[in-house]
Short mmCIF file of all heavy atoms in Angstrom, two decimals:
data_model
loop_
_atom_site.label_atom_id
_atom_site.label_comp_id
_atom_site.label_asym_id
_atom_site.label_seq_id
_atom_site.Cartn_x
_atom_site.Cartn_y
_atom_site.Cartn_z
N ALA D 247 2.61 9.36 -5.52
CA ALA D 247 2.98 10.74 -5.86
C ALA D 247 3.59 11.46 -4.66
O ALA D 247 4.56 12.22 -4.81
CB ALA D 247 1.75 11.50 -6.37
N LEU D 248 3.05 11.22 -3.48
CA LEU D 248 3.59 11.84 -2.26
C LEU D 248 5.02 11.34 -1.99
O LEU D 248 5.90 12.14 -1.69
CB LEU D 248 2.68 11.53 -1.07
CG LEU D 248 3.08 12.15 0.26
CD1 LEU D 248 2.95 13.67 0.21
CD2 LEU D 248 2.22 11.58 1.38
N ALA D 249 5.23 10.04 -2.12
CA ALA D 249 6.58 9.49 -1.92
C ALA D 249 7.55 10.08 -2.93
O ALA D 249 8.67 10.45 -2.58
CB ALA D 249 6.54 7.96 -2.03
N ASP D 250 7.13 10.19 -4.18
CA ASP D 250 7.99 10.78 -5.22
C ASP D 250 8.29 12.24 -4.92
O ASP D 250 9.43 12.69 -5.06
CB ASP D 250 7.34 10.65 -6.59
CG ASP D 250 7.34 9.23 -7.13
OD1 ASP D 250 8.10 8.38 -6.62
OD2 ASP D 250 6.56 8.97 -8.08
N GLU D 251 7.27 12.99 -4.51
CA GLU D 251 7.43 14.41 -4.20
C GLU D 251 8.49 14.63 -3.12
O GLU D 251 9.24 15.60 -3.16
CB GLU D 251 6.09 14.99 -3.75
CG GLU D 251 6.14 16.44 -3.34
CD GLU D 251 4.80 16.93 -2.79
OE1 GLU D 251 3.75 16.34 -3.11
OE2 GLU D 251 4.82 17.92 -2.03
N HIS D 252 8.55 13.72 -2.17
CA HIS D 252 9.48 13.86 -1.05
C HIS D 252 10.74 13.01 -1.21
O HIS D 252 11.56 12.93 -0.28
CB HIS D 252 8.77 13.55 0.27
CG HIS D 252 7.78 14.60 0.64
ND1 HIS D 252 8.13 15.75 1.31
CD2 HIS D 252 6.45 14.70 0.38
CE1 HIS D 252 7.05 16.51 1.47
NE2 HIS D 252 6.03 15.89 0.92
N GLY D 253 10.91 12.40 -2.38
CA GLY D 253 12.11 11.63 -2.65
C GLY D 253 12.31 10.43 -1.75
O GLY D 253 13.43 10.09 -1.39
N MET D 254 11.20 9.77 -1.39
CA MET D 254 11.28 8.59 -0.52
C MET D 254 11.20 7.32 -1.35
O MET D 254 10.14 6.94 -1.83
CB MET D 254 10.15 8.62 0.51
CG MET D 254 10.28 9.71 1.53
SD MET D 254 8.97 9.55 2.76
CE MET D 254 9.43 10.84 3.90
N ALA D 255 12.35 6.65 -1.52
CA ALA D 255 12.39 5.40 -2.28
C ALA D 255 11.91 4.22 -1.45
O ALA D 255 11.37 3.25 -1.98
CB ALA D 255 13.80 5.14 -2.78
N THR D 256 12.10 4.31 -0.12
CA THR D 256 11.69 3.24 0.78
C THR D 256 11.05 3.89 2.01
O THR D 256 11.63 4.80 2.60
CB THR D 256 12.90 2.38 1.20
OG1 THR D 256 13.54 1.88 0.03
CG2 THR D 256 12.48 1.22 2.07
N ALA D 257 9.84 3.44 2.36
CA ALA D 257 9.13 4.05 3.48
C ALA D 257 8.10 3.10 4.06
O ALA D 257 7.61 2.19 3.37
CB ALA D 257 8.45 5.35 3.05
N GLU D 258 7.76 3.34 5.31
CA GLU D 258 6.64 2.67 5.98
C GLU D 258 5.43 3.57 5.83
O GLU D 258 5.54 4.80 5.89
CB GLU D 258 6.98 2.47 7.45
CG GLU D 258 5.88 1.86 8.27
CD GLU D 258 6.19 1.82 9.76
OE1 GLU D 258 7.29 2.24 10.16
OE2 GLU D 258 5.32 1.40 10.52
N LEU D 259 4.25 2.98 5.68
CA LEU D 259 3.02 3.72 5.41
C LEU D 259 1.95 3.37 6.43
O LEU D 259 1.75 2.20 6.75
CB LEU D 259 2.55 3.35 3.99
CG LEU D 259 1.11 3.62 3.60
CD1 LEU D 259 0.85 5.11 3.52
CD2 LEU D 259 0.81 2.94 2.28
N ARG D 260 1.25 4.42 6.91
CA ARG D 260 0.09 4.25 7.77
C ARG D 260 -0.93 5.32 7.41
O ARG D 260 -0.56 6.45 7.14
CB ARG D 260 0.45 4.39 9.25
CG ARG D 260 1.35 3.29 9.75
CD ARG D 260 1.67 3.44 11.21
NE ARG D 260 2.61 4.55 11.37
CZ ARG D 260 2.76 5.23 12.49
NH1 ARG D 260 2.02 4.98 13.53
NH2 ARG D 260 3.65 6.18 12.57
N ALA D 261 -2.23 4.96 7.42
CA ALA D 261 -3.25 5.96 7.09
C ALA D 261 -4.60 5.56 7.69
O ALA D 261 -4.86 4.40 7.99
CB ALA D 261 -3.38 6.11 5.58
N ILE D 262 -5.46 6.59 7.83
CA ILE D 262 -6.86 6.43 8.20
C ILE D 262 -7.66 7.40 7.35
O ILE D 262 -7.11 8.31 6.75
CB ILE D 262 -7.11 6.70 9.71
CG1 ILE D 262 -6.63 8.11 10.08
CG2 ILE D 262 -6.44 5.63 10.56
CD1 ILE D 262 -7.01 8.52 11.50
N GLY D 263 -8.98 7.21 7.31
CA GLY D 263 -9.82 8.14 6.56
C GLY D 263 -11.11 7.50 6.12
O GLY D 263 -11.71 6.70 6.84
N ALA D 264 -11.51 7.85 4.89
CA ALA D 264 -12.75 7.32 4.32
C ALA D 264 -12.60 7.27 2.80
O ALA D 264 -11.89 8.08 2.20
CB ALA D 264 -13.93 8.21 4.71
N LEU D 265 -13.29 6.29 2.20
CA LEU D 265 -13.26 6.12 0.75
C LEU D 265 -14.68 6.19 0.20
O LEU D 265 -15.61 5.63 0.78
CB LEU D 265 -12.64 4.77 0.37
CG LEU D 265 -11.22 4.50 0.89
CD1 LEU D 265 -10.81 3.06 0.60
CD2 LEU D 265 -10.24 5.49 0.28
N SER D 266 -14.83 6.87 -0.93
CA SER D 266 -16.14 6.91 -1.58
C SER D 266 -16.34 5.68 -2.46
O SER D 266 -17.48 5.28 -2.73
CB SER D 266 -16.30 8.19 -2.40
OG SER D 266 -15.25 8.30 -3.34
N GLU D 267 -15.26 5.07 -2.91
CA GLU D 267 -15.27 3.80 -3.66
C GLU D 267 -14.08 2.99 -3.19
O GLU D 267 -13.01 3.54 -2.93
CB GLU D 267 -15.11 4.04 -5.16
CG GLU D 267 -16.21 4.83 -5.81
CD GLU D 267 -15.90 5.13 -7.27
OE1 GLU D 267 -15.24 4.30 -7.93
OE2 GLU D 267 -16.30 6.20 -7.73
N ALA D 268 -14.27 1.68 -3.10
CA ALA D 268 -13.16 0.83 -2.64
C ALA D 268 -13.08 -0.44 -3.47
O ALA D 268 -14.11 -1.03 -3.85
CB ALA D 268 -13.35 0.47 -1.17
N ARG D 269 -11.84 -0.83 -3.75
CA ARG D 269 -11.57 -2.06 -4.48
C ARG D 269 -10.37 -2.74 -3.81
O ARG D 269 -9.34 -2.12 -3.61
CB ARG D 269 -11.27 -1.76 -5.96
CG ARG D 269 -11.16 -2.98 -6.81
CD ARG D 269 -11.41 -2.62 -8.28
NE ARG D 269 -11.33 -3.79 -9.13
CZ ARG D 269 -12.27 -4.72 -9.24
NH1 ARG D 269 -13.38 -4.61 -8.55
NH2 ARG D 269 -12.10 -5.76 -10.04
N LEU D 270 -10.56 -4.01 -3.46
CA LEU D 270 -9.52 -4.77 -2.77
C LEU D 270 -9.27 -6.07 -3.53
O LEU D 270 -9.96 -6.38 -4.50
CB LEU D 270 -9.94 -5.08 -1.34
CG LEU D 270 -10.23 -3.91 -0.42
CD1 LEU D 270 -10.75 -4.40 0.94
CD2 LEU D 270 -9.00 -3.04 -0.23
N ALA D 271 -8.28 -6.82 -3.07
CA ALA D 271 -7.98 -8.11 -3.67
C ALA D 271 -7.54 -9.09 -2.60
O ALA D 271 -7.10 -8.71 -1.52
CB ALA D 271 -6.89 -7.96 -4.73
N PHE D 272 -7.68 -10.37 -2.94
CA PHE D 272 -7.23 -11.47 -2.09
C PHE D 272 -6.35 -12.36 -2.95
O PHE D 272 -6.73 -12.72 -4.07
CB PHE D 272 -8.42 -12.26 -1.55
CG PHE D 272 -8.00 -13.47 -0.74
CD1 PHE D 272 -7.62 -13.31 0.58
CD2 PHE D 272 -7.97 -14.73 -1.31
CE1 PHE D 272 -7.22 -14.42 1.33
CE2 PHE D 272 -7.57 -15.82 -0.57
CZ PHE D 272 -7.19 -15.67 0.75
N TYR D 273 -5.18 -12.74 -2.44
CA TYR D 273 -4.26 -13.58 -3.21
C TYR D 273 -4.52 -15.05 -2.91
O TYR D 273 -4.43 -15.50 -1.77
CB TYR D 273 -2.81 -13.23 -2.86
CG TYR D 273 -1.81 -13.91 -3.75
CD1 TYR D 273 -1.64 -13.51 -5.07
CD2 TYR D 273 -1.03 -14.96 -3.28
CE1 TYR D 273 -0.72 -14.12 -5.91
CE2 TYR D 273 -0.09 -15.58 -4.11
CZ TYR D 273 0.05 -15.16 -5.42
OH TYR D 273 0.96 -15.77 -6.24
N ASP D 274 -4.86 -15.80 -3.96
CA ASP D 274 -5.09 -17.24 -3.85
C ASP D 274 -3.75 -17.94 -3.97
O ASP D 274 -3.14 -17.93 -5.04
CB ASP D 274 -6.06 -17.70 -4.95
CG ASP D 274 -6.44 -19.16 -4.81
OD1 ASP D 274 -5.55 -20.01 -4.59
OD2 ASP D 274 -7.65 -19.45 -4.93
N GLN D 275 -3.29 -18.54 -2.90
CA GLN D 275 -1.97 -19.17 -2.86
C GLN D 275 -1.88 -20.41 -3.76
O GLN D 275 -0.79 -20.76 -4.20
CB GLN D 275 -1.60 -19.53 -1.43
CG GLN D 275 -1.45 -18.30 -0.55
CD GLN D 275 -1.19 -18.65 0.91
OE1 GLN D 275 -0.82 -19.77 1.23
NE2 GLN D 275 -1.40 -17.69 1.79
N GLU D 276 -2.99 -21.04 -4.03
CA GLU D 276 -2.97 -22.24 -4.88
C GLU D 276 -2.86 -21.88 -6.36
O GLU D 276 -2.05 -22.44 -7.08
CB GLU D 276 -4.24 -23.07 -4.63
CG GLU D 276 -4.36 -23.46 -3.18
CD GLU D 276 -4.54 -24.95 -2.99
OE1 GLU D 276 -4.75 -25.66 -3.98
OE2 GLU D 276 -4.44 -25.37 -1.84
N THR D 277 -3.67 -20.92 -6.79
CA THR D 277 -3.65 -20.53 -8.21
C THR D 277 -2.61 -19.46 -8.50
O THR D 277 -2.33 -19.16 -9.65
CB THR D 277 -5.03 -20.01 -8.65
OG1 THR D 277 -5.32 -18.80 -7.92
CG2 THR D 277 -6.11 -21.04 -8.41
#
Side-chain angles (χ1 to χ4, degrees):
L248 182 67
D250 288 344
E251 177 185 337
H252 290 275
M254 292 185 175
T256 304
E258 176 186 358
L259 162 68
R260 293 181 287 156
I262 57 172
L265 303 173
S266 56
E267 297 174 33
R269 188 158 181 77
L270 300 175
F272 176 81
Y273 189 72
D274 185 313
Q275 296 175 17
E276 302 234 350
T277 64

